[in-house]
């Protein structure tokens, strides 16, 4: 039988809490340990007494933190057995990062920079390695974009599918996974930046996006790696400009909300 109890050497990674919001700091440390794979799915946490000693906190703060982590699905509390690291905690951590991006402009900008580097090279590689089936699948997504111009979420899904198909066409699974993760983290921002499809601005942007995707596909059909890279770069810069504008508007809105709260 596997011993799921937390290993003694793992406790060396825990440091005493010295700030006032004790339960929040406990939560931060435990999430950090899980994200770094020091605490692994299925592992059992030590007793409350041992954790209180290691964190340097009282039972009330510890129990509040553990209760919150159980509610979030990061920990799994089992009556009569103890508290374990949940096997599904990664889904929460990814969702937490996505929501954190909504509040951190610098992280969004960093991701857009990574996306530009990744996707431009992805297109270059795809021009050399894409199969006919890969290219036909991309054509189908562009058709889907054309047919869903008035349906933003559906349009966005076809857009995402196109980019993932380009990555798939590199025949490089690691590159595909990196791009999928990067685009996934940006997806919430992209959804928020979509305008009402009935507006002229939204329709013009959708038409421009379709043309840019078609230009990328054309370079892939002709197997011209450098032109494929250039076409993808132009598209990413164009779509990123829309996101940057949306981030600026959001930032201004948050500042106004904060000022209003301070004046109350």
């Amino acid at each position: 039988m596997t011993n799921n109890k937390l290993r003694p050497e793992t406790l060396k990674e825990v440091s005493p809490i010295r700030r006032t919001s004790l339960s929040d700091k406990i939560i931060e440390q435990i999430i950090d340990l899980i994200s770094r794979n020091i605490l692994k799915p299925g592992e059992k946490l030590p007793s409350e007494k041992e954790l209180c000693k290691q964190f340097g906190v009282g039972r009330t703060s510890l129990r509040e933190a553990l209760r919150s982590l159980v509610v979030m699905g990061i920990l799994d509390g089992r009556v009569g057995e103890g508290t374990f690291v949940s096997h599904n905690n990664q889904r929460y951590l990814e969702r937490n990062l996505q929501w954190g991006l909504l509040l951190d402009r610098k992280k969004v900008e960093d991701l857009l920079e990574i996306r530009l580097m990744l996707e431009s090279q992805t297109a270059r590689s795809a021009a050399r390695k894409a199969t006919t089936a890969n290219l036909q699948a991309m054509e189908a997504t562009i058709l889907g974009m054309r047919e869903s111009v008035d349906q933003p979420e559906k349009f966005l899904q076809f857009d995402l599918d196109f980019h993932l198909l380009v990555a798939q066409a590199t025949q490089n699974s690691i590159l595909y996974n990196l791009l999928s993760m990067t685009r996934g983290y940006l997806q919430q921002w992209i959804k928020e930046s979509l305008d009402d499809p009935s507006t002229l601005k939204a329709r013009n942007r959708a038409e421009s996006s379709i043309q840019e995707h078609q230009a990328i596909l054309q370079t892939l059909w002709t197997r011209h790696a450098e032109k494929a890279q250039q076409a993808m770069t132009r598209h990413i810069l164009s779509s990123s400009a829309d996101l940057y504008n949306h981030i600026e508007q959001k930032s201004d809105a948050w500042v106004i909300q904060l000022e209003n709260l301070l004046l109350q």
Side-chain angles (χ1 to χ4, degrees), residues 126-132 135 218-226:
R128 299 191 182 105
K129 300 178 182 179
T131 65
T132 299
L135 299 174
Q218 185 58 37
T219 63
L220 297 180
W221 274 114
T222 58
R223 307 291 178 181
H224 201 303
E226 187 174 350

Side-chain angles (χ1 to χ4, degrees), residues 32-96:
D32 177 63
L33 292 172
I34 293 173
S35 66
R36 290 191 286 135
N37 208 34
I38 293 170
L39 273 175
K40 302 179 186 298
E43 281 194 291
K44 182 179 180 180
L45 270 62
S47 66
E48 285 187 359
K49 182 178 179 180
E50 192 173 350
L51 284 173
C52 286
K53 180 180 177 180
Q54 195 67 33
F55 282 118
V57 300
R59 287 200 173 189
T60 301
S61 296
L62 178 68
R63 286 174 178 174
E64 183 181 341
L66 296 181
R67 191 181 304 114
S68 296
L69 289 166
V70 169
V71 170
M72 289 187 280
I74 295 176
L75 297 180
D76 181 15
R78 303 176 194 171
V79 179
E81 295 184 52
T83 304
F84 298 78
V85 179
S86 172
H87 287 282
N88 297 321
N89 66 76
Q90 196 60 38
R91 293 177 63 187
Y92 165 81
L93 294 174
E94 289 180 1
R95 187 166 65 251
N96 186 52

Side-chain angles (χ1 to χ4, degrees), residues 141 143-156 158:
T141 63
L143 177 60
M145 290 173 72
R146 291 189 189 280
E147 294 176 345
S148 58
V149 168
D150 296 325
Q151 301 168 277
E153 290 206 16
K154 199 171 180 182
F155 181 92
L156 181 59
F158 281 118

Side-chain angles (χ1 to χ4, degrees), residues 160-195:
L160 173 60
D161 290 345
F162 176 89
H163 287 272
L164 293 181
L165 284 167
V166 175
Q168 194 174 68
T170 66
Q171 318 306 327
N172 184 322
S173 61
I174 294 176
L175 183 57
Y176 174 86
N177 289 335
L178 283 172
L179 182 59
S180 178
M181 180 177 65
T182 302
R183 178 61 186 262
Y185 290 154
L186 283 170
Q187 202 75 346
Q188 188 63 39
W189 264 114
I190 295 172
K191 283 183 180 179
E192 286 217 348
S193 70
L194 295 174
D195 292 320

Side-chain angles (χ1 to χ4, degrees), residues 206-264:
E207 292 295 340
S208 294
S209 181
I210 292 170
Q211 291 173 14
E212 289 165 6
H213 283 79
Q214 190 65 58
I216 293 167
L217 180 57
Q218 185 58 37
T219 63
L220 297 180
W221 274 114
T222 58
R223 307 291 178 181
H224 201 303
E226 187 174 350
K227 287 185 177 180
Q229 182 177 5
Q230 291 170 351
M232 182 64 81
T233 298
R234 282 193 295 270
H235 170 58
I236 299 300
L237 289 175
S238 173
S239 59
S240 295
D242 289 331
L243 270 181
Y244 276 123
N245 290 335
H246 183 67
I247 292 169
E248 291 289 350
Q249 293 168 7
K250 272 286 185 182
S251 297
D252 290 343
W254 287 331
V255 169
I256 292 171
Q257 290 175 17
L258 181 58
E259 287 176 344
N260 289 336
L261 286 173
L262 293 174
L263 290 173
Q264 289 179 357

